[in-house]
Amino acid sequence: MSRLSGKVALITGAAGAIGAAAAARFVTEGASVFLVDRDAGAVAAVAAKLGPAAAAHAADVSDAAQTEAYAAAAVSRFGGVDILLNNAGIEGAVGPRIDESPIDAFDKVMAINVRGSWLAIKYVAPYLIKRGGGSIVNTSSVAGLIAYSGGSAYIVSKHALVGLTRAGALEYARDGIRVNAVNPAPVESRMMRSIEEGFAPGAAAAAKTAVLGTIPLGRYADVDDVVNLMLFLASDESRYCTGACFVVDGGITAA
Ligand SMILES: NC(=O)c1ccc[n+]([C@@H]2O[C@H](COP(=O)([O-])OP(=O)(O)OC[C@H]3O[C@@H](n4cnc5c(N)ncnc54)[C@H](O)[C@@H]3O)[C@@H](O)[C@H]2O)c1
């Protein structure tokens, strides 16, 4: 299969569960992938497994100078960028209500999830324009469309990515750049283990059972469920889609 033949994809949070799976799938589909993560060792390991179509770069996405540098490094390594998968994100503090939440934890979630994604567009969009267009995919969440108690910073940040998606889509449509969001359900992953433990310290299994009760299809997503959608939005198959949020949520937001 070669649905991304000849394309260069820049993926942030590429050492994590979803980012690494997207990187592998994009390479299978013919892309070269420039992988950015703050975990230098882990992102290098992901790239090493994928061979010469992949390159690793350690950076903190919330830092403007590092973002400008990773965008330039991607172009220098692969000659340009066609796809930006804005995927780095953290869950932050889970459990406390707003009045009990640490301010620095809120600031950190916003810096990585929102500022990081905005900075990526700021520095990568000019390179997409040079290629005559491209696709930006922002990893939001069902938490970008609905809320729950005990995750305010994450929920605010993922709602902000919906706004970033719409604003970016309008600003860059005439440059041939499409901007969309994916809004996944909970995924079987480290992040969900952390969120379950935050909801119910010492009783994560019970928290998972409660979350599963909100999912009509009765299971968490697996990374491939999410990557299938990312691939569609990254590819030209979604050429008439922009400014939209695409759920892959087992029916959560239908309820
Ligand atoms: N796991 C889920 O259930 C789920 C559901 C919906 C949406 N999401 C979103 O999907 C994205 C990926 O999640 P995941 O499950 O793969 O999480 P993960 O924790 O496995 O991966 C996130 C990656 O981002 C990196 N990262 C964190 N802060 C960074 C920074 N400042 N600079 C550079 N890299 C940084 C981490 O090192 C990690 O490798 C996140 O945006 C997350 O909010 C996850």
Side-chain angles (χ1 to χ4, degrees), residues 9 12 27 29 36 61 70 80 92 135 168 196 209 214 221 253:
T12 69
V27 167
E29 295 289 348
V36 174
V61 298
Y70 78 60
S135 174
E196 291 153 2
T209 302
T214 70
T253 55

Side-chain angles (χ1 to χ4, degrees), residues 162 165-170 178-181 241-246:
V162 172
T165 297
R166 291 177 176 148
L170 298 183
R178 301 178 295 102
V179 187
N180 292 291
C241 303
T242 197
C245 298
F246 292 80

Side-chain angles (χ1 to χ4, degrees), residues 62-153:
S62 67
D63 183 278
Q66 291 183 44
T67 303
E68 187 170 21
Y70 78 60
V75 172
S76 152
R77 176 68 180 77
F78 289 121
V81 180
D82 304 289
I83 296 157
L84 168 63
L85 178 53
N86 240 338
N87 174 74
I90 60 169
E91 66 274 27
V94 181
R97 295 195 311 188
I98 293 170
D99 62 294
E100 302 153 337
S101 297
I103 295 169
D104 60 344
F106 176 85
D107 289 343
K108 193 171 175 197
V109 170
M110 296 302 283
I112 295 171
N113 297 9
V114 182
R115 175 182 157 95
S117 298
W118 185 85
L119 285 173
I121 295 177
K122 175 175 176 61
Y123 289 111
V124 175
Y127 294 122
L128 297 177
I129 291 169
K130 277 193 189 152
R131 297 280 262 202
S135 174
I136 297 173
V137 180
N138 297 320
T139 307
S140 178
S141 167
V142 287
L145 301 171
I146 59 172
Y148 49 85
S149 185
S152 60

Side-chain angles (χ1 to χ4, degrees), residues 16-18 37-38 59-61 87 139 154 158 187 189-190 192:
I18 295 172
D37 202 285
R38 69 177 169 190
D60 177 348
V61 298
N87 174 74
T139 307
Y154 188 73
K158 292 299 179 178
V187 177
S189 62
R190 177 213 64 78
M192 279 313 298

Side-chain angles (χ1 to χ4, degrees), residues 142 148 185-187 192 195-196 199 204-216 218-220 252:
V142 287
Y148 49 85
V187 177
M192 279 313 298
I195 290 172
E196 291 153 2
F199 279 145
K208 180 172 181 180
T209 302
V211 177
L212 284 172
T214 70
I215 306 176
R219 66 168 176 87
Y220 282 6
I252 291 176

